[in-house]
């Protein structure tokens, strides 16, 4: 028996409830005290096609997915065709009996073929074929011997919102599916899931990066969000909007992304903590406004959740190809800060920290996330997202008292740090104009060379100040004295971290340096780590190796090996190791 | 109370002598004084163009944004602090060419913003190319054989698009402009003013004289019915030998956008109690509730 260490994959057409079923199962497992990591792979369509949801459960924290599947739940023949080779020896395939799949056609290798009448049970017990996915996840609990009560709880909560009748129907279907799979297949299946006693169900949260980021922004006192829907950023906008009235936030859907950032700039100028969120395509439209925020020294936060590009690319797949774009977006040279969280917890922190940085440096701050990070579900202990640790730093924002004393106010005063005291418009002593044109300290447009130089230097100086005072060094995980040092940023970290552990078990000493504060690049803080490394291996979800470029140009350090992937799919730890073996010619 | 000197800027206008923008600046100041508004209560947002330089020449809160982008910046400011009197000044190219999409959507929302369109039927600052309001056949450096596109009419767009206040005035009539501006600013909602603003340097056709010969004050006509959208539409379409100026449409029943945002009913967000309390107090208080939804 192997208990509490397994991967379950659920697949079918869009509209069959693959994702909702998967999320329900994930929650039911987390409630039993297990740690889970779930991600979905879905196509950019509303019906049909092939989607899957993959979840991994374990006793300790899970940072990524694994390739080997122990239980495949198939709603379609196509799903079996596509994924049966991924099923481990002694794994099982649960599928709808109605598919008429010949059990003999299964992969062999001891893989169990387990037909269950998903749709028949759904219709006969629940009265609705749509409940087949409920039947399937309950069957998964049945075959693994998991506590049915946890499934029941989650179904009840999810469906009660619709009606008592729908909830009762789903629970009845679940009971039938659970019993069927348990009685028929459980004894022959060696993988087990078991609730861990002594934990309170409400101690552990299940959430994705976008939800964490949105909560972080709210925890920072974000009072304004304007956006235009674009996958995979939309759920940030939706989350904040859902809570807007309750928490005193204005949410505005705009005509396009150009307007979205400009609305946020307007609100930021008027004194609110303001943000927008988008993906690469929308960020393209924001570029001119980004320069405006830099020039007018307006604090604003842009959450850019990357997806596959260029152009429309793969709307529902992951990539990390906007790093260099984010750093340079806009014509001219202008200050901005770019930070890239790598875990769900860090999304929360980035969500609030971005507002402090934006107000402290009075410039745009870009939170660079990616689709995989934005949408994978992860279990996190509740106390790890601690709102009381959120610090609010509004930088040189003038208080009412300061404003009363103000004389001859210069909004763009030249200072050593590059940051000028900021007044919110509306006070008689701080009447000023600001502009996208080059301007003097008062904000009036000017054209003389001397002022231009001074103002340009003032603005750019903020980057030096930020690099010194706020940008953090890369984070090291693993043995500092390693033979191989991986470098990465963003969601790739989860798999790389795990490959470091796996390599360790196989006798290869590796560690990983993760860069979260990317611009201004903290050169001096990163250098000692880079110099110490013996063999540098960058791992990125892009074609050109953008972190590698950044390190090369900022720190003059070249990578020994580059592992790059741009298929739109996330790296698995096994894949990282296989690539290392091939690219660096080592035997592991 | 305020007076004209309060609005005096240290900067002097750089417009060509005789430009219609001078009248707009002067009348805007007068309209503000007439209403007793002080500089700190007013926010003037502009785009880029000759006319968009107004915020430099008028002492008040000002934001000179990007070409075509004054409206979204202004709407963001208004949502953040609706106590500010927000005024957009922007050219015909700014408002209807590069910024046309923002114009369409501002009309649908009805923010309490006054939008002064400085309509010289040309791109002034880039030295004389045809604009969205240039008539078909207009000869410029980029339309040497005459432009092939029909002109947009701001008043037609305004009435059709759902603006709740649509008007036109003329840089050659100071009294009329002040009156129209005051009426527009007093209107609660999105007020559009199409200002016939001669560009004396690059538009040799639509001169002060050309307009003077054609404009007439529509508010003085016997059948004046600014509450009647159909009538307004008919007036908006009038363009040629006779050009109506004055308020043609006024809808006072539609609530402003800000009126409909629940969060704003307790007062302007930017001026809330947050200065006394930590700005994130609400979310701190809601921490448990927010997190529990994920358990
Ligand atoms: C994105 C962008 N494109 C082009 C320009 C150049 N440009 C500046 S003003 C202007 C046209 C101005 O015309 P209008 O808005 O009618 O204002 P006017 O100068 O006539 O008052 C143009 C094309 C710019 N500043 N930004
Ligand atoms: S170019 Fe035309 S619009 Fe611009 S300042 Fe001169 S006269 Fe006025
Ligand atoms: Mg013009």
């Amino acid at each position: 028996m192997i208990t509490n260490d397994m991967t379950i994959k659920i697949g079918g057409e869009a509209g069959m409830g693959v994702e909702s079923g998967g999320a329900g199962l994930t929650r039911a497992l987390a409630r039993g005290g297990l740690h889970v990591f779930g991600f979905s792979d879905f196509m950019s369509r509303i019906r049909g096609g092939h989607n899957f949801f993959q979840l991994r459960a374990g006793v300790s924290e899970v940072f990524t997915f694994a390739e080997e599947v122990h239980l495949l739940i198939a709603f379609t023949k196509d799903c079996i065709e596509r994924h049966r080779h991924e099923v481990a020896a002694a794994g099982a395939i649960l599928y709808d009996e109605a598919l008429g799949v010949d059990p003999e056609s299964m992969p062999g290798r001891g893989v169990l073929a387990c037909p269950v009448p998903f749709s028949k049970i759904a219709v006969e017990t629940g009265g609705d074929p749509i409940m087949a996915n409920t039947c399937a996840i309950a069957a998964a609990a049945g075959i693994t011997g998991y506590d049915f009560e946890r499934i029941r709880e989650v179904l009840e909560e999810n469906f009660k919102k619709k009606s008592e009748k729908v909830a009762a129907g789903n629970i009845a279907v679940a009971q039938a599916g659970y019993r069927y799979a348990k009685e028929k297949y459980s004894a022959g299946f060696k993988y087990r899931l078991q609730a861990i006693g002594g934990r309170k169900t409400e101690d552990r949260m299940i959430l994705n990066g976008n939800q964490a980021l949105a909560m972080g922004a709210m925890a920072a006192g974000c009072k304004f969000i304007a956006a235009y829907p674009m996958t995979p950023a939309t759920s940030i906008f939706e989350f904040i909007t859902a809570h807007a009235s309750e928490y005193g936030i204005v949410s505005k859907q705009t005509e396009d992304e150009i307007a979205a950032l400009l609305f946020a700039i307007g609100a930021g100028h008027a004194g609110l903590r303001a943000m927008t969120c988008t993906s690469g395509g929308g960020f393209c439209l924001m570029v001119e406004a980004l320069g405006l925020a830099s020039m007018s020294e307006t604090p604003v936060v842009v959450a850019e959740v990357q997806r596959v590009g260029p152009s429309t690319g793969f709307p529902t797949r992951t990539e990390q190809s906007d790093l260099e774009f984010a750093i340079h977006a806009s014509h001219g040279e202008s200050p901005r800060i770019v930070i890239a969280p790598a875990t769900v917890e860090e999304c929360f922190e980035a969500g609030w920290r971005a507002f402090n940085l934006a107000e402290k440096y009075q410039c745009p701050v870009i939170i660079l996330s990616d689709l995989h990070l934005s949408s994978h579900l992860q279990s996190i202990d509740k106390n790890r997202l601690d709102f009381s640790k959120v610090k609010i730093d509004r930088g040189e924002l003038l208080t009412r008292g300061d404003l009363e004393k103000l004389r001859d106010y210069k909004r763009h005063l030249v200072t050593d740090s590059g940051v000028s005291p900021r007044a919110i418009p509306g006070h008689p002593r701080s009447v000023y104009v600001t502009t996208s044109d080059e301007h003097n300290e008062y904000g009036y447009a000017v054209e003389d060379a001397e002022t231009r130089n001074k103002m340009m230097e003032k603005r750019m100086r903020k980057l030096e100040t930020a690099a010194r005072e706020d940008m953090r060094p890369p984070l090291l995980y693993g043995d500092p004295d390693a033979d191989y040092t991986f470098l990465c940023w963003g969601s790739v970290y989860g798999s790389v971290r795990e490959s470091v552990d796996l390599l360790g078990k196989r006798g290869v000493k590796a560690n990983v340096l993760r860069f979260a504060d990317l611009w201004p690049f903290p050169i001096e803080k990163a250098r000692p780590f880079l110099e110490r490394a013996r063999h540098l291996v960058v791992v990125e979800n892009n074609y050109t190796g953008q972190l590698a470029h950044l390190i090369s140009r900022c720190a003059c350090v070249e990578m020994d090996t580059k592992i790059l992937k741009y298929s739109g799919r996330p790296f698995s730890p096994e894949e990282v190791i296989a690539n290392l073996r091939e690219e660096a010619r080592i035997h592991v | 109370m305020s007076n004209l000197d309060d609005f005096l800027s240290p900067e002097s206008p750089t417009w060509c002598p005789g430009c219609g923008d001078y009248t707009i600046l002067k009348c805007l100041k007068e309209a503000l004084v007439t209403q007793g508004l002080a500089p700190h209560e007013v926010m003037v947002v502009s785009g880029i163009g000759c006319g968009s330089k107004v915020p430099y020449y008028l002492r008040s809160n000002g934001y000179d944004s990007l070409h075509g982008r004054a409206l979204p910046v202004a709407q963001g400011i208004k949502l953040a602090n609706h106590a500010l009197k927000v005024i957009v000044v922007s050219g015909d190219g700014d408002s209807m060419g590069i910024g046309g999409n923002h114009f369409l959507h501002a009309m649908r929302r009805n923010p309490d913003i006054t939008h002064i369109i400085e309509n010289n039927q040309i791109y002034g600052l880039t030295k004389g190319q045809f604009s969205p309001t240039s008539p078909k056949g207009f000869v410029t450096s980029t339309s040497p054989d005459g432009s092939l596109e029909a002109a947009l009419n701001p008043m037609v767009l305004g009435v059709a698009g759902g603006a709740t206040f649509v008007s036109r005035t003329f840089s050659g009539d100071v009294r009329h402009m002040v009156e129209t501006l005051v009426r527009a600013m007093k209107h609660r909602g999105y007020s559009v003013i199409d200002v016939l603003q001669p560009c004396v340097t690059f538009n040799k056709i639509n001169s002060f004289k050309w307009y003077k010969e054609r404009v007439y004050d529509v508010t003085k006509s016997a059948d004046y019915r600014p509450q009647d959208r159909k009538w307004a539409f008919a007036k908006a379409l009038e363009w040629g030998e006779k050009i109506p100026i004055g308020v043609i449409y006024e809808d006072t029943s539609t609530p402003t956008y800000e009126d409909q945002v629940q969060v704003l009913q307790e007062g302007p967000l930017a001026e809330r109690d947050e200065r006394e309390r930590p700005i994130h107090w609400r979310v701190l208080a809601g921490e448990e509730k927010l997190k529990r939804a994920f358990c």
Side-chain angles (χ1 to χ4, degrees):
Chain A
M1 283 300 157
I2 296 169
T3 305
N4 289 347
D5 183 9
M6 74 179 293
T7 289
I8 301 175
K9 189 168 206 158
I10 308 172
E13 290 179 10
M16 286 181 165
V18 169
E19 201 177 356
S20 58
L25 186 55
T26 306
R27 174 144 301 159
L29 297 182
R31 290 205 161 184
L34 296 178
H35 270 294
V36 281
F37 182 102
F39 83 100
S40 47
D41 178 296
F42 62 101
M43 299 173 79
S44 182
R45 55 195 286 175
I46 309 301
R47 291 281 180 269
H50 176 70
N51 291 354
F52 69 78
F53 183 91
Q54 186 159 332
L55 83 86
R56 184 172 164 211
V59 179
S60 48
E61 228 171 322
V62 200
F63 295 95
T64 187
F65 64 101
E67 280 179 12
E68 200 175 57
V69 174
H70 306 104
L71 181 62
L72 176 66
I73 304 174
F75 293 136
T76 58
K77 272 189 187 167
D78 181 38
C79 172
I80 300 176
E81 272 313 306
R82 283 171 190 260
H83 301 297
R84 59 184 191 182
H85 62 276
E86 297 162 21
V87 181
I93 304 181
L94 277 175
Y95 58 93
D96 196 341
E97 196 181 66
L99 294 178
V101 173
D102 176 8
E104 297 304 311
S105 72
M106 286 296 148
R109 299 184 276 116
V111 173
L112 298 177
C114 310
V116 175
F118 295 156
S119 32
K120 188 159 169 253
I121 294 177
V123 172
E124 289 177 3
T125 312
D128 192 341
I130 194 88
M131 296 181 189
N133 70 333
T134 296
C135 183
I137 64 158
I143 192 175
T144 55
Y146 193 65
D147 182 6
F148 179 73
E149 189 50 27
R150 310 281 175 177
I151 299 280
R152 197 196 57 75
E153 240 173 63
V154 168
L155 290 172
E156 182 163 338
E157 280 165 31
N158 284 353
F159 291 109
K160 224 171 37 192
K161 285 171 242 158
K162 292 194 177 146
S163 78
E164 294 287 345
K165 190 165 162 254
V166 173
N170 274 283
I171 290 168
V173 166
Q175 247 152 358
Y178 182 87
R179 206 175 308 124
Y180 190 99
K182 183 161 187 168
E183 283 166 9
K184 213 157 167 196
Y185 303 120
S186 181
F189 189 54
K190 75 169 189 183
Y191 293 91
R192 283 283 172 279
L193 289 170
Q194 214 170 65
I196 298 167
R199 279 198 137 272
K200 279 196 285 181
T201 51
E202 62 270 19
D203 283 350
R204 191 159 286 165
M205 301 160 67
I206 296 277
L207 74 173
N208 64 34
N210 273 2
Q211 291 163 330
L213 194 156
M215 258 203 291
M218 286 169 61
C222 170
K223 292 284 155 59
F224 189 92
I225 183 164
Y228 186 84
M230 186 170 191
T231 307
T234 313
S235 60
I236 297 174
F237 184 34
E238 288 173 333
F239 185 89
I240 296 179
T241 305
H243 295 90
S245 301
E246 196 174 348
Y247 293 99
I249 300 165
V250 168
S251 161
K252 184 76 201 82
Q253 178 168 308
T254 54
E255 54 271 35
D256 54 29
E257 287 89 347
I258 299 176
L261 180 52
L262 291 159
F263 264 73
I265 288 172
H269 178 70
L272 300 186
R273 289 197 148 191
M275 72 176 292
T276 181
C277 58
T278 187
S279 188
F283 188 62
C284 287
L285 296 187
M286 294 180 179
V287 166
E288 196 191 17
L290 201 72
L292 173 67
S294 291
M295 189 60 142
S296 61
E297 307 201 65
T298 309
V300 69
V301 172
V302 182
E304 208 264 65
V305 189
Q306 302 159 93
R307 70 188 211 189
V308 173
S311 197
T312 308
F314 275 155
T316 61
R317 298 189 187 280
T318 199
E319 198 163 89
Q320 302 180 292
S321 47
D322 298 345
L323 172 57
E324 291 182 299
F325 178 39
I327 288 173
H328 297 293
S330 168
H331 60 290
E333 295 156 310
S334 62
R336 84 281 314 276
I337 290 170
V338 182
I339 57 176
T343 65
V344 171
E345 254 174 287
E346 282 184 9
C347 284
F348 176 77
E349 197 206 17
W352 61 263
R353 187 170 163 243
F355 287 90
N356 288 349
L357 294 170
E359 290 207 307
K360 184 164 174 193
Y361 295 102
Q362 301 174 12
C363 71
V365 174
I366 300 160
I367 306 174
L368 212 48
S369 180
D370 57 64
L371 184 137
H372 190 54
L373 179 58
S374 76
S375 57
H376 79 245
L377 289 173
Q378 200 169 337
S379 56
I380 288 186
D381 285 348
K382 222 160 86 181
N383 56 16
R384 296 262 292 273
L385 300 194
D386 191 348
F387 288 23
S388 66
K389 292 219 179 89
V390 173
K391 289 189 193 63
I392 303 290
D393 178 1
R394 304 204 66 183
E396 299 208 28
L397 181 68
L398 298 171
T399 64
R400 261 188 208 161
D402 297 334
L403 289 172
E404 297 298 336
K405 286 179 248 145
L406 216 55
R407 303 198 56 168
D408 191 31
Y409 179 55
K410 293 173 172 164
R411 167 64 191 100
H412 301 286
L413 184 75
V414 173
T415 60
D416 288 343
S417 64
V419 179
S420 322
R422 182 166 71 105
I424 290 173
H427 193 278
R429 290 192 181 256
S430 66
V431 172
Y432 67 90
V433 59
T434 190
T435 170
S436 62
D437 281 86
E438 188 57 276
H439 44 266
N440 61 19
E441 290 180 307
Y442 291 100
Y444 289 117
V446 291
E447 300 205 16
D448 68 285
E450 196 193 334
T451 310
R452 159 68 181 173
N453 290 345
K454 262 206 227 154
M455 298 312 284
M456 187 67 190
E457 288 153 15
K458 162 216 183 331
R459 286 189 300 269
M460 296 307 278
R461 204 149 56 230
K462 294 196 266 189
L463 289 176
E464 290 159 33
T465 312
R468 199 172 53 238
E469 292 184 10
D470 280 287
M471 294 296 100
R472 299 171 179 168
L475 287 161
L476 184 75
Y477 174 79
D479 187 347
D481 181 44
D483 293 319
Y484 296 91
T485 294
F486 291 108
L487 295 93
C488 68
W489 61 289
S491 69
V492 166
Y493 173 67
S495 285
V496 176
R497 179 192 158 119
E498 188 147 325
S499 54
V500 165
D501 293 341
L502 288 173
L503 285 167
K505 283 183 196 151
R506 297 179 201 172
V508 178
K509 280 205 289 183
N511 59 23
V512 51
L513 258 189
R514 173 165 52 93
F515 291 79
D517 287 4
L518 292 162
W519 195 260
F521 190 76
I523 304 172
E524 294 317 319
K525 295 171 192 171
R527 199 181 296 285
F529 291 96
L530 295 168
E531 282 171 357
R532 179 152 190 196
R534 296 193 190 112
H535 185 114
L536 292 168
V537 187
V538 81
V539 188
E540 299 186 61
N541 265 142
N542 58 43
Y543 183 86
T544 49
Q546 300 192 15
L547 176 65
H549 287 169
L550 189 63
I551 292 171
S552 162
R553 65 180 251 226
C554 292
C556 300
V557 172
E558 299 300 326
M559 297 299 123
D560 298 295
T561 302
K562 288 183 189 171
I563 299 178
L564 304 170
K565 183 177 182 182
Y566 35 85
S567 62
R569 276 74 180 170
F571 279 104
S572 70
E574 295 91 334
E575 197 180 359
V576 172
I577 294 173
N579 273 283
L580 182 71
R581 194 186 299 131
E582 210 168 287
E583 303 281 336
R585 298 180 204 289
I586 61 160
H587 299 286
V588 277
Chain B
M1 283 314 283
S2 57
N3 58 51
L4 283 175
D5 286 346
D6 293 336
F7 291 96
L8 190 69
S9 160
E11 299 288 300
S12 339
T14 53
W15 295 311
C16 308
C19 172
D21 283 331
Y22 285 100
T23 321
I24 297 175
L25 177 64
K26 176 181 157 73
C27 293
L28 181 55
K29 285 185 191 171
E30 278 186 27
L32 292 168
V33 172
T34 304
Q35 294 170 84
L37 288 162
H40 71 279
E41 297 169 321
V42 178
M43 171 66 80
V44 183
V45 185
S46 69
I48 296 294
C50 292
S52 285
K53 294 184 178 182
V54 162
Y56 302 128
Y57 310 140
L58 168 103
R59 191 181 156 267
S60 75
N61 300 303
Y63 197 131
D64 186 356
S65 74
L66 298 166
H67 188 33
R69 312 301 169 201
L71 276 173
V73 172
Q75 289 171 80
I77 292 172
K78 187 73 188 179
L79 284 168
N81 187 353
H82 60 267
L84 290 171
K85 188 91 204 156
V86 179
I87 298 157
V88 168
V89 281
S90 102
D92 46 325
D94 219 67
S95 300
M96 272 163 298
I98 191 163
N101 197 32
H102 304 311
F103 182 41
L104 282 182
H105 294 278
M107 290 194 271
R108 295 167 50 221
R109 295 182 187 126
N110 199 30
D112 188 15
I113 289 175
T114 296
H115 181 179
I116 300 170
I117 302 175
E118 303 146 303
N119 185 1
N120 51 14
Q121 298 175 257
I122 195 113
Y123 285 154
L125 193 62
T126 45
K127 304 194 171 177
Q129 302 79 22
F130 67 98
S131 89
T133 53
S134 304
K136 192 167 181 189
F138 202 64
V139 175
T140 68
S141 60
T142 51
S143 55
D145 302 323
S147 123
L148 302 177
E149 293 163 31
L152 282 175
N153 175 331
M155 290 220 294
V156 171
L157 283 181
V159 177
T164 54
F165 183 102
V166 182
S167 63
R168 178 181 286 138
T169 186
F170 169 43
S171 282
D173 189 340
V174 171
R175 167 118 56 92
H176 187 270
M177 190 182 294
V178 174
E179 273 172 24
T180 310
L181 286 175
V182 169
R183 205 167 143 187
M185 282 187 231
K186 286 194 168 157
H187 172 77
R188 291 196 77 242
Y190 184 51
S191 47
V192 177
I193 309 154
D194 176 24
V195 183
L196 304 175
Q197 172 249 318
C199 165
V200 295
T201 307
F202 294 112
N203 187 339
K204 298 296 183 196
I205 294 181
N206 308 105
S207 61
F208 277 98
K209 181 165 174 285
W210 189 90
Y211 287 122
K212 256 198 186 119
E213 285 164 4
R214 289 167 174 79
V215 298
Y216 73 96
D217 189 345
V218 74
T219 65
K220 307 234 157 62
S221 31
D223 67 340
Y224 184 58
R225 292 200 305 279
Q227 273 78 33
D228 180 346
R229 200 168 174 193
K230 279 197 184 134
W231 176 86
F233 206 66
K235 287 292 147 189
L237 286 166
E238 262 181 39
W239 182 272
E241 289 312 304
K242 292 190 66 79
I243 298 175
I245 60 171
V247 180
I248 62 159
Y249 185 60
E250 198 172 13
D251 157 14
T252 51
S253 61
T254 302
T256 68
Y257 190 87
E258 301 81 57
D259 279 345
Q260 300 170 77
V261 179
Q262 194 212 314
V263 170
L264 300 182
Q265 303 321 304
E266 293 165 40
L269 267 187
E271 293 189 350
R272 287 263 180 90
D273 46 8
E274 329 294 37
R275 288 191 185 203
E276 275 73 48
R277 289 195 245 195
I279 53 168
H280 60 326
W281 68 272
R282 278 175 213 261
V283 179
L284 287 185
E287 175 172 1
E288 260 318 295
K289 192 172 163 201
L290 276 168
K291 286 187 184 171
R292 188 151 322 140
F294 293 106
C295 293

